Amino acid sequence: MSDKPMENKMGVMPVGKLLANMAIPMIASMLVQALYNIVDSIYISRVSESAVTALSLAFPVQNMMIAFSSGIAVGVNSLLSRSLGEKNQKMANKSAGNGITLILIVVVLFMIFGIFGSHPYYAFQSDVAETVKGGSTYVSIICIFCIGSFMEILLERLLQSTGRTIYSMITQGTGAIINILLDPVFIFGMFGVPAMGVAGAAVATVIGQCVAATLALIFNIKKNPDIQLSFADLKLDKEAVGKIVVVGVPSLVMMAIGSVMNFGMNQILQGFSETATGVFGIYYKLQSFFFMPIFGLNGATISIVAFNYGAKSKKRMMKAIKLSCTVALIIMLLGVAAFQFIPEVLLGIFNPSDEFLAIGVKALRIISIHFPIAAVCIVLGSVFQALGNGIYSTIVSLARQLVVLLPAAYLLSLTGDVGMVWWAFVIAELMSLLVTTICYVKIYKDRIKPLENL
Protein backbone atom coordinates (compact mmCIF):
# COMPACT_ATOMS: atom_id res chain seq x y z
CA MET A 1 0.00 0.00 0.00
CA SER A 2 1.39 3.37 -1.02
CA ASP A 3 1.79 6.18 1.53
CA LYS A 4 1.40 8.82 -1.21
CA PRO A 5 -1.98 9.46 -2.81
CA MET A 6 -2.34 9.91 -6.54
CA GLU A 7 -2.66 13.45 -7.94
CA ASN A 8 -6.13 14.78 -7.15
CA LYS A 9 -8.15 16.94 -9.57
CA MET A 10 -8.96 19.41 -6.75
CA GLY A 11 -5.41 20.69 -6.96
CA VAL A 12 -5.01 20.92 -10.74
CA MET A 13 -8.34 21.33 -12.53
CA PRO A 14 -9.42 24.96 -13.34
CA VAL A 15 -11.54 26.13 -10.40
CA GLY A 16 -14.65 27.02 -12.39
CA LYS A 17 -14.67 23.66 -14.14
CA LEU A 18 -13.82 21.89 -10.89
CA LEU A 19 -16.69 23.50 -8.99
CA ALA A 20 -19.10 22.64 -11.78
CA ASN A 21 -17.68 19.11 -12.04
CA MET A 22 -18.13 18.50 -8.31
CA ALA A 23 -21.17 20.64 -7.49
CA ILE A 24 -23.53 19.80 -10.37
CA PRO A 25 -23.86 16.10 -9.45
CA MET A 26 -24.30 17.05 -5.79
CA ILE A 27 -26.87 19.74 -6.61
CA ALA A 28 -28.71 17.28 -8.86
CA SER A 29 -28.81 14.67 -6.11
CA MET A 30 -29.98 17.26 -3.59
CA LEU A 31 -32.76 18.34 -5.97
CA VAL A 32 -33.88 14.72 -6.15
CA GLN A 33 -33.84 14.62 -2.34
CA ALA A 34 -35.89 17.83 -2.21
CA LEU A 35 -38.31 16.39 -4.76
CA TYR A 36 -38.70 13.32 -2.55
CA ASN A 37 -39.45 15.55 0.46
CA ILE A 38 -42.19 17.29 -1.48
CA VAL A 39 -43.68 14.13 -3.03
CA ASP A 40 -43.63 12.44 0.39
CA SER A 41 -45.69 15.28 1.87
CA ILE A 42 -48.07 15.29 -1.10
CA TYR A 43 -48.89 11.65 -0.41
CA ILE A 44 -49.25 12.26 3.33
CA SER A 45 -51.53 15.26 2.74
CA ARG A 46 -53.96 12.83 1.07
CA VAL A 47 -54.19 10.89 4.34
CA SER A 48 -55.26 13.78 6.59
CA GLU A 49 -54.19 17.17 7.91
CA SER A 50 -53.23 15.48 11.20
CA ALA A 51 -50.83 13.30 9.23
CA VAL A 52 -49.19 16.43 7.81
CA THR A 53 -48.85 17.82 11.34
CA ALA A 54 -47.39 14.51 12.54
CA LEU A 55 -44.62 14.77 9.95
CA SER A 56 -44.02 18.41 10.86
CA LEU A 57 -43.55 17.45 14.51
CA ALA A 58 -41.16 14.66 13.44
CA PHE A 59 -38.84 17.11 11.71
CA PRO A 60 -36.79 18.04 14.83
CA VAL A 61 -35.95 14.34 15.37
CA GLN A 62 -35.05 13.83 11.71
CA ASN A 63 -32.99 16.99 11.76
CA MET A 64 -31.17 15.78 14.89
CA MET A 65 -30.30 12.55 13.09
CA ILE A 66 -28.95 14.54 10.17
CA ALA A 67 -27.08 16.77 12.63
CA PHE A 68 -25.16 13.86 14.14
CA SER A 69 -24.44 12.12 10.85
CA SER A 70 -23.56 15.32 8.98
CA GLY A 71 -21.53 16.66 11.91
CA ILE A 72 -19.30 13.60 11.89
CA ALA A 73 -19.25 13.58 8.08
CA VAL A 74 -18.23 17.26 7.88
CA GLY A 75 -15.39 16.62 10.32
CA VAL A 76 -14.25 13.64 8.27
CA ASN A 77 -14.65 15.59 5.03
CA SER A 78 -12.51 18.49 6.25
CA LEU A 79 -9.76 16.27 7.71
CA LEU A 80 -9.74 13.92 4.73
CA SER A 81 -9.51 16.69 2.13
CA ARG A 82 -6.78 18.53 4.04
CA SER A 83 -4.85 15.28 4.51
CA LEU A 84 -5.01 14.53 0.80
CA GLY A 85 -3.91 18.10 0.03
CA GLU A 86 -0.95 17.61 2.38
CA LYS A 87 -0.21 14.19 0.80
CA ASN A 88 -0.79 12.47 4.17
CA GLN A 89 -2.42 9.19 3.11
CA LYS A 90 -2.18 7.61 6.57
CA MET A 91 -4.30 10.32 8.21
CA ALA A 92 -6.72 10.29 5.26
CA ASN A 93 -7.36 6.59 5.84
CA LYS A 94 -7.71 7.05 9.61
CA SER A 95 -10.21 9.88 9.17
CA ALA A 96 -12.48 7.68 7.05
CA GLY A 97 -12.21 4.63 9.31
CA ASN A 98 -12.72 6.55 12.54
CA GLY A 99 -15.72 8.30 11.00
CA ILE A 100 -17.40 4.95 10.36
CA THR A 101 -16.83 3.85 13.97
CA LEU A 102 -18.20 7.11 15.39
CA ILE A 103 -21.28 6.80 13.18
CA LEU A 104 -22.02 3.28 14.43
CA ILE A 105 -21.85 4.46 18.06
CA VAL A 106 -24.42 7.19 17.40
CA VAL A 107 -26.70 4.76 15.51
CA VAL A 108 -27.12 2.70 18.70
CA LEU A 109 -28.16 5.81 20.67
CA PHE A 110 -30.88 6.72 18.16
CA MET A 111 -32.16 3.13 18.07
CA ILE A 112 -32.67 3.34 21.84
CA PHE A 113 -34.60 6.60 21.44
CA GLY A 114 -36.75 5.03 18.73
CA ILE A 115 -37.74 2.19 21.07
CA PHE A 116 -38.38 4.17 24.26
CA GLY A 117 -38.70 7.87 23.39
CA SER A 118 -40.94 8.29 20.34
CA HIS A 119 -44.34 8.12 22.08
CA PRO A 120 -43.44 10.46 24.99
CA TYR A 121 -42.01 12.90 22.43
CA TYR A 122 -45.35 13.17 20.62
CA ALA A 123 -47.56 12.99 23.71
CA PHE A 124 -45.75 16.06 25.03
CA GLN A 125 -46.55 18.11 21.91
CA SER A 126 -50.08 17.13 20.91
CA ASP A 127 -53.31 15.85 22.43
CA VAL A 128 -54.76 14.82 19.05
CA ALA A 129 -54.82 11.01 19.10
CA GLU A 130 -54.29 10.59 15.34
CA THR A 131 -51.28 12.89 15.38
CA VAL A 132 -49.67 11.15 18.37
CA LYS A 133 -50.26 7.61 17.09
CA GLY A 134 -49.11 8.22 13.52
CA GLY A 135 -46.19 10.42 14.47
CA SER A 136 -44.78 8.20 17.21
CA THR A 137 -44.89 5.17 14.91
CA TYR A 138 -43.14 7.15 12.16
CA VAL A 139 -40.32 8.34 14.45
CA SER A 140 -39.93 4.89 15.99
CA ILE A 141 -39.38 3.28 12.58
CA ILE A 142 -36.91 5.85 11.23
CA CYS A 143 -34.85 5.72 14.43
CA ILE A 144 -34.74 1.96 14.92
CA PHE A 145 -33.64 1.48 11.31
CA CYS A 146 -31.46 4.61 11.10
CA ILE A 147 -28.23 2.82 10.14
CA GLY A 148 -29.05 3.30 6.45
CA SER A 149 -29.44 7.07 6.86
CA PHE A 150 -26.26 7.48 8.91
CA MET A 151 -24.03 5.31 6.73
CA GLU A 152 -25.41 6.84 3.53
CA ILE A 153 -24.47 10.36 4.61
CA LEU A 154 -20.96 9.44 5.76
CA LEU A 155 -20.09 7.22 2.81
CA GLU A 156 -21.34 9.83 0.34
CA ARG A 157 -19.16 12.44 2.06
CA LEU A 158 -16.14 10.19 1.53
CA LEU A 159 -16.91 10.18 -2.19
CA GLN A 160 -17.42 13.94 -2.21
CA SER A 161 -14.22 14.60 -0.26
CA THR A 162 -12.16 12.97 -2.99
CA GLY A 163 -13.99 14.68 -5.85
CA ARG A 164 -16.10 11.69 -6.92
CA THR A 165 -19.43 13.46 -6.67
CA ILE A 166 -20.98 11.62 -9.62
CA TYR A 167 -21.16 8.50 -7.46
CA SER A 168 -22.77 10.33 -4.54
CA MET A 169 -25.32 11.67 -7.03
CA ILE A 170 -26.12 8.11 -8.12
CA THR A 171 -26.52 6.86 -4.54
CA GLN A 172 -28.66 9.76 -3.33
CA GLY A 173 -30.75 9.75 -6.49
CA THR A 174 -31.33 6.00 -6.35
CA GLY A 175 -32.34 6.11 -2.68
CA ALA A 176 -34.74 9.02 -3.23
CA ILE A 177 -36.33 7.47 -6.34
CA ILE A 178 -36.88 4.16 -4.53
CA ASN A 179 -38.46 6.13 -1.69
CA ILE A 180 -40.78 7.98 -4.05
CA LEU A 181 -41.85 4.75 -5.79
CA LEU A 182 -42.47 2.89 -2.54
CA ASP A 183 -44.36 5.71 -0.77
CA PRO A 184 -47.79 5.05 -2.35
CA VAL A 185 -47.28 1.29 -2.02
CA PHE A 186 -46.85 1.44 1.77
CA ILE A 187 -48.93 4.56 2.56
CA PHE A 188 -52.10 3.62 0.63
CA GLY A 189 -51.60 -0.14 0.22
CA MET A 190 -50.79 -1.64 -3.18
CA PHE A 191 -49.72 -5.01 -4.63
CA GLY A 192 -50.94 -6.88 -1.59
CA VAL A 193 -49.22 -4.55 0.90
CA PRO A 194 -51.67 -3.25 3.57
CA ALA A 195 -52.27 0.52 3.83
CA MET A 196 -49.99 1.82 6.59
CA GLY A 197 -50.57 5.59 6.43
CA VAL A 198 -47.84 7.65 8.08
CA ALA A 199 -45.96 4.49 9.11
CA GLY A 200 -45.79 3.51 5.43
CA ALA A 201 -43.88 6.70 4.65
CA ALA A 202 -41.31 5.71 7.28
CA VAL A 203 -40.92 2.20 5.85
CA ALA A 204 -40.37 3.57 2.34
CA THR A 205 -37.84 6.05 3.73
CA VAL A 206 -35.65 3.51 5.53
CA ILE A 207 -35.66 1.11 2.56
CA GLY A 208 -34.46 3.89 0.26
CA GLN A 209 -31.76 4.91 2.74
CA CYS A 210 -30.46 1.35 3.14
CA VAL A 211 -30.23 0.86 -0.62
CA ALA A 212 -28.37 4.17 -1.00
CA ALA A 213 -25.96 3.28 1.83
CA THR A 214 -25.20 -0.09 0.22
CA LEU A 215 -24.45 1.56 -3.12
CA ALA A 216 -22.23 4.17 -1.45
CA LEU A 217 -20.25 1.42 0.29
CA ILE A 218 -19.73 -0.41 -3.01
CA PHE A 219 -18.58 2.78 -4.76
CA ASN A 220 -16.11 3.59 -2.00
CA ILE A 221 -14.61 0.10 -2.20
CA LYS A 222 -14.54 -0.14 -6.00
CA LYS A 223 -14.18 3.46 -7.23
CA ASN A 224 -12.39 5.48 -4.54
CA PRO A 225 -8.64 4.70 -4.56
CA ASP A 226 -7.83 7.86 -2.56
CA ILE A 227 -9.15 6.04 0.50
CA GLN A 228 -7.33 2.82 1.32
CA LEU A 229 -9.31 1.49 4.28
CA SER A 230 -8.35 -1.44 6.46
CA PHE A 231 -9.91 -2.81 9.66
CA ALA A 232 -7.08 -1.17 11.61
CA ASP A 233 -8.39 2.24 10.51
CA LEU A 234 -11.70 1.54 12.29
CA LYS A 235 -9.96 1.59 15.67
CA LEU A 236 -10.50 4.97 17.30
CA ASP A 237 -7.34 7.07 17.11
CA LYS A 238 -6.99 9.98 19.53
CA GLU A 239 -5.44 12.35 16.98
CA ALA A 240 -7.92 11.56 14.18
CA VAL A 241 -10.97 11.69 16.47
CA GLY A 242 -9.74 14.98 17.95
CA LYS A 243 -9.44 16.58 14.52
CA ILE A 244 -12.82 15.25 13.41
CA VAL A 245 -14.46 16.51 16.59
CA VAL A 246 -12.94 20.01 16.34
CA VAL A 247 -14.79 20.59 13.06
CA GLY A 248 -17.61 18.07 13.39
CA VAL A 249 -19.02 18.91 16.82
CA PRO A 250 -19.56 22.61 16.03
CA SER A 251 -21.28 21.55 12.81
CA LEU A 252 -23.36 19.02 14.76
CA VAL A 253 -24.31 21.65 17.33
CA MET A 254 -25.14 24.07 14.53
CA MET A 255 -27.63 21.63 13.01
CA ALA A 256 -28.89 20.47 16.42
CA ILE A 257 -29.69 24.10 17.14
CA GLY A 258 -31.95 23.86 14.09
CA SER A 259 -33.84 21.02 15.78
CA VAL A 260 -34.27 23.09 18.94
CA MET A 261 -35.47 26.02 16.84
CA ASN A 262 -37.91 23.81 14.94
CA PHE A 263 -39.22 22.29 18.16
CA GLY A 264 -39.64 25.76 19.67
CA MET A 265 -41.41 27.11 16.58
CA ASN A 266 -43.76 24.13 16.62
CA GLN A 267 -44.72 24.94 20.21
CA ILE A 268 -45.30 28.61 19.37
CA LEU A 269 -47.42 27.71 16.32
CA GLN A 270 -49.37 25.01 18.19
CA GLY A 271 -50.59 27.92 20.33
CA PHE A 272 -52.45 29.14 17.24
CA SER A 273 -53.54 25.86 15.61
CA GLU A 274 -52.31 22.51 14.30
CA THR A 275 -52.87 23.98 10.84
CA ALA A 276 -50.22 26.64 11.48
CA THR A 277 -47.79 23.91 12.56
CA GLY A 278 -48.60 21.97 9.39
CA VAL A 279 -47.90 25.07 7.28
CA PHE A 280 -44.50 25.43 8.93
CA GLY A 281 -43.70 21.82 8.03
CA ILE A 282 -44.78 22.26 4.42
CA TYR A 283 -42.73 25.48 4.18
CA TYR A 284 -39.65 23.47 5.15
CA LYS A 285 -40.42 20.91 2.46
CA LEU A 286 -40.81 23.61 -0.20
CA GLN A 287 -37.78 25.68 0.82
CA SER A 288 -35.64 22.53 0.65
CA PHE A 289 -36.00 22.68 -3.13
CA PHE A 290 -33.79 25.80 -3.02
CA PHE A 291 -31.75 25.25 0.14
CA MET A 292 -30.71 21.66 -0.53
CA PRO A 293 -28.95 22.49 -3.83
CA ILE A 294 -26.95 25.08 -1.90
CA PHE A 295 -26.02 22.43 0.65
CA GLY A 296 -24.87 20.31 -2.30
CA LEU A 297 -22.84 23.27 -3.54
CA ASN A 298 -21.42 23.63 -0.04
CA GLY A 299 -20.24 20.04 -0.02
CA ALA A 300 -18.15 20.77 -3.12
CA THR A 301 -16.95 24.10 -1.71
CA ILE A 302 -15.78 22.54 1.57
CA SER A 303 -13.76 19.90 -0.26
CA ILE A 304 -12.17 22.37 -2.71
CA VAL A 305 -11.33 24.99 -0.06
CA ALA A 306 -10.01 22.42 2.42
CA PHE A 307 -7.86 20.67 -0.21
CA ASN A 308 -6.38 23.90 -1.54
CA TYR A 309 -5.80 25.24 1.96
CA GLY A 310 -3.81 22.09 2.66
CA ALA A 311 -1.97 22.70 -0.65
CA LYS A 312 -1.49 26.40 0.33
CA SER A 313 -3.19 27.76 -2.80
CA LYS A 314 -4.97 30.98 -1.81
CA LYS A 315 -5.90 31.92 -5.37
CA ARG A 316 -7.85 28.71 -5.96
CA MET A 317 -9.55 28.98 -2.57
CA MET A 318 -10.80 32.53 -3.15
CA LYS A 319 -12.03 31.79 -6.65
CA ALA A 320 -14.03 28.83 -5.35
CA ILE A 321 -15.57 30.95 -2.58
CA LYS A 322 -16.60 33.76 -4.97
CA LEU A 323 -18.06 31.39 -7.53
CA SER A 324 -20.00 29.52 -4.84
CA CYS A 325 -21.49 32.75 -3.48
CA THR A 326 -22.60 33.77 -6.98
CA VAL A 327 -24.26 30.43 -7.74
CA ALA A 328 -25.95 30.37 -4.32
CA LEU A 329 -27.38 33.85 -4.85
CA ILE A 330 -28.82 32.87 -8.23
CA ILE A 331 -30.50 29.78 -6.74
CA MET A 332 -31.98 31.77 -3.87
CA LEU A 333 -33.28 34.53 -6.13
CA LEU A 334 -35.19 31.85 -8.03
CA GLY A 335 -36.60 30.77 -4.67
CA VAL A 336 -37.72 34.30 -3.86
CA ALA A 337 -39.45 34.60 -7.23
CA ALA A 338 -41.32 31.29 -6.75
CA PHE A 339 -42.45 32.07 -3.19
CA GLN A 340 -43.50 35.61 -4.03
CA PHE A 341 -45.37 35.03 -7.30
CA ILE A 342 -46.84 31.52 -7.15
CA PRO A 343 -47.34 30.58 -3.47
CA GLU A 344 -50.92 29.43 -4.13
CA VAL A 345 -49.65 27.03 -6.81
CA LEU A 346 -46.92 25.64 -4.55
CA LEU A 347 -49.28 25.09 -1.62
CA GLY A 348 -52.08 23.83 -3.85
CA ILE A 349 -50.30 20.52 -4.45
CA PHE A 350 -50.69 19.59 -0.77
CA ASN A 351 -54.50 19.41 -0.77
CA PRO A 352 -54.81 22.47 1.53
CA SER A 353 -57.88 23.66 3.38
CA ASP A 354 -58.87 27.32 3.02
CA GLU A 355 -57.30 28.09 6.41
CA PHE A 356 -54.09 26.26 5.47
CA LEU A 357 -53.84 28.17 2.20
CA ALA A 358 -54.47 31.56 3.81
CA ILE A 359 -51.79 31.03 6.46
CA GLY A 360 -49.38 29.43 4.00
CA VAL A 361 -49.42 32.10 1.30
CA LYS A 362 -48.54 34.80 3.81
CA ALA A 363 -45.84 32.63 5.38
CA LEU A 364 -44.10 31.86 2.07
CA ARG A 365 -44.06 35.49 0.93
CA ILE A 366 -42.68 36.84 4.20
CA ILE A 367 -40.09 34.16 4.98
CA SER A 368 -38.61 34.11 1.45
CA ILE A 369 -37.42 37.71 1.85
CA HIS A 370 -34.39 36.38 3.74
CA PHE A 371 -33.32 33.83 1.09
CA PRO A 372 -30.58 35.91 -0.65
CA ILE A 373 -29.00 36.81 2.71
CA ALA A 374 -29.06 33.15 3.72
CA ALA A 375 -27.28 32.20 0.48
CA VAL A 376 -24.19 34.26 1.34
CA CYS A 377 -24.18 33.18 5.00
CA ILE A 378 -24.38 29.48 4.11
CA VAL A 379 -21.47 29.61 1.65
CA LEU A 380 -19.25 31.58 4.01
CA GLY A 381 -20.16 29.09 6.72
CA SER A 382 -18.73 26.32 4.53
CA VAL A 383 -15.40 28.19 4.53
CA PHE A 384 -15.33 28.11 8.33
CA GLN A 385 -15.85 24.34 8.26
CA ALA A 386 -13.29 23.74 5.51
CA LEU A 387 -10.59 25.58 7.46
CA GLY A 388 -11.29 23.75 10.70
CA ASN A 389 -13.06 26.69 12.40
CA GLY A 390 -16.48 25.11 12.77
CA ILE A 391 -16.98 27.06 16.00
CA TYR A 392 -17.68 30.14 13.88
CA SER A 393 -20.57 28.34 12.19
CA THR A 394 -21.90 27.44 15.63
CA ILE A 395 -21.74 31.08 16.75
CA VAL A 396 -23.67 32.16 13.65
CA SER A 397 -26.35 29.50 14.18
CA LEU A 398 -26.72 30.40 17.84
CA ALA A 399 -27.14 34.06 16.95
CA ARG A 400 -29.66 33.30 14.23
CA GLN A 401 -31.83 30.52 15.61
CA LEU A 402 -31.76 30.72 19.40
CA VAL A 403 -30.61 34.18 20.39
CA VAL A 404 -32.79 35.95 17.80
CA LEU A 405 -35.30 33.74 15.94
CA LEU A 406 -37.16 32.04 18.79
CA PRO A 407 -37.37 35.11 21.06
CA ALA A 408 -38.50 37.24 18.10
CA ALA A 409 -41.09 34.63 17.07
CA TYR A 410 -42.42 34.41 20.62
CA LEU A 411 -42.69 38.18 21.02
CA LEU A 412 -44.39 38.51 17.63
CA SER A 413 -46.82 35.71 18.57
CA LEU A 414 -48.04 37.88 21.44
CA THR A 415 -49.74 40.09 18.83
CA GLY A 416 -52.23 37.25 18.34
CA ASP A 417 -51.56 37.26 14.58
CA VAL A 418 -49.78 34.15 13.29
CA GLY A 419 -48.76 36.13 10.19
CA MET A 420 -46.48 38.31 12.30
CA VAL A 421 -44.50 35.27 13.53
CA TRP A 422 -42.98 34.71 10.07
CA TRP A 423 -41.10 38.02 10.22
CA ALA A 424 -38.83 36.47 12.86
CA PHE A 425 -37.00 34.64 10.05
CA VAL A 426 -36.09 37.88 8.31
CA ILE A 427 -34.97 39.53 11.55
CA ALA A 428 -32.83 36.52 12.47
CA GLU A 429 -31.12 36.32 9.06
CA LEU A 430 -30.08 39.97 9.26
CA MET A 431 -28.35 39.18 12.56
CA SER A 432 -26.78 36.13 10.91
CA LEU A 433 -25.32 38.29 8.15
CA LEU A 434 -23.73 40.62 10.67
CA VAL A 435 -22.15 37.82 12.72
CA THR A 436 -21.07 35.88 9.59
CA THR A 437 -19.33 38.94 8.18
CA ILE A 438 -17.41 39.52 11.41
CA CYS A 439 -16.30 35.87 11.56
CA TYR A 440 -15.30 35.76 7.90
CA VAL A 441 -13.19 38.91 8.18
CA LYS A 442 -11.36 37.36 11.12
CA ILE A 443 -10.74 34.00 9.48
CA TYR A 444 -9.58 35.68 6.28
CA LYS A 445 -7.10 37.77 8.22
CA ASP A 446 -5.84 34.88 10.38
CA ARG A 447 -5.88 31.91 7.98
CA ILE A 448 -6.29 32.90 4.34
CA LYS A 449 -4.34 36.15 3.90
CA PRO A 450 -1.06 34.69 5.33
CA LEU A 451 -1.00 32.25 2.39
CA GLU A 452 0.06 35.17 0.14
CA ASN A 453 3.56 34.93 1.61
CA LEU A 454 3.92 31.18 0.98
Side-chain angles (χ1 to χ4, degrees), residues 309-330:
Y309 181 76
K312 298 178 172 55
S313 177
K314 179 191 172 186
K315 183 178 179 181
R316 290 176 63 81
M317 290 173 60
M318 293 307 301
K319 188 167 185 180
I321 294 168
K322 291 175 183 177
L323 282 172
S324 296
C325 281
T326 301
V327 173
L329 273 172
I330 292 171

Side-chain angles (χ1 to χ4, degrees), residues 337-380:
F339 278 40
Q340 292 295 325
F341 298 118
I342 56 169
E344 296 92 349
V345 175
L346 296 175
L347 293 168
I349 63 177
F350 298 101
N351 195 31
S353 63
D354 290 341
E355 180 188 6
F356 193 103
L357 194 60
I359 295 173
V361 167
K362 192 168 187 179
L364 264 56
R365 284 181 170 150
I366 293 173
I367 298 175
S368 63
I369 294 171
H370 85 274
F371 283 8
I373 305 172
V376 175
C377 293
I378 291 171
V379 172
L380 294 184

Side-chain angles (χ1 to χ4, degrees), residues 13-20 304 308 315-317 319-320 323:
M13 185 180 288
V15 174
K17 182 179 178 181
L18 175 63
L19 186 63
I304 295 171
N308 286 284
K315 183 178 179 181
R316 290 176 63 81
M317 290 173 60
K319 188 167 185 180
L323 282 172

Side-chain angles (χ1 to χ4, degrees), residues 51-283:
V52 173
T53 301
L55 255 64
S56 298
L57 295 176
F59 187 81
V61 176
Q62 291 176 293
N63 195 60
M64 190 67 76
M65 292 169 62
I66 295 172
F68 274 87
S69 54
S70 294
I72 294 171
V74 164
V76 172
N77 188 343
S78 179
L79 176 57
L80 178 60
S81 294
R82 277 185 285 133
S83 297
L84 291 173
E86 295 165 352
K87 313 264 186 219
N88 186 347
Q89 185 66 54
K90 185 177 181 180
M91 182 55 71
N93 294 341
K94 280 186 178 180
S95 67
N98 278 227
I100 291 173
T101 302
L102 291 171
I103 282 290
L104 292 176
I105 292 171
V106 176
V107 163
V108 173
L109 297 177
F110 273 93
M111 291 176 68
I112 293 171
F113 175 81
I115 296 170
F116 299 107
S118 59
H119 188 272
Y121 171 80
Y122 269 88
F124 175 77
Q125 297 184 83
S126 176
D127 55 5
V128 178
E130 183 183 355
T131 300
V132 173
K133 181 180 178 181
S136 59
T137 302
Y138 181 89
V139 167
S140 179
I141 293 171
I142 63 171
C143 286
I144 292 172
F145 300 98
C146 67
I147 188 168
S149 171
F150 277 81
M151 292 305 297
E152 175 191 357
I153 290 175
L154 177 65
L155 293 170
E156 285 171 354
R157 282 299 182 112
L158 296 183
L159 293 166
Q160 294 165 9
S161 297
T162 57
R164 293 171 175 84
T165 54
I166 186 66
Y167 296 116
S168 66
M169 179 189 76
I170 293 171
T171 59
Q172 286 185 342
T174 301
I177 290 170
I178 288 174
N179 201 334
I180 290 171
L181 294 176
L182 292 181
D183 262 338
V185 175
F186 289 103
I187 293 173
F188 304 116
M190 298 171 65
F191 310 114
V193 176
M196 300 172 66
V198 176
V203 172
T205 295
V206 297
I207 291 174
Q209 290 168 344
C210 288
V211 170
T214 301
L215 275 177
L217 178 61
I218 293 171
F219 284 140
N220 271 289
I221 293 172
K222 300 290 187 181
K223 303 291 185 180
N224 199 356
D226 283 328
I227 300 174
Q228 303 162 5
L229 273 177
S230 68
F231 282 106
D233 294 315
L234 299 176
K235 183 179 179 181
L236 293 179
D237 175 83
K238 185 176 181 180
E239 181 184 5
V241 170
K243 291 181 177 180
I244 291 171
V245 166
V246 165
V247 175
V249 168
S251 179
L252 185 160
V253 172
M254 179 177 67
M255 295 192 69
I257 289 168
S259 288
V260 175
M261 178 278 292
N262 206 278
F263 182 85
M265 284 295 296
N266 283 338
Q267 302 316 299
I268 291 170
L269 293 171
Q270 284 282 81
F272 289 95
S273 66
E274 283 218 336
T275 299
T277 306
V279 166
F280 184 53
I282 292 299
Y283 155 73

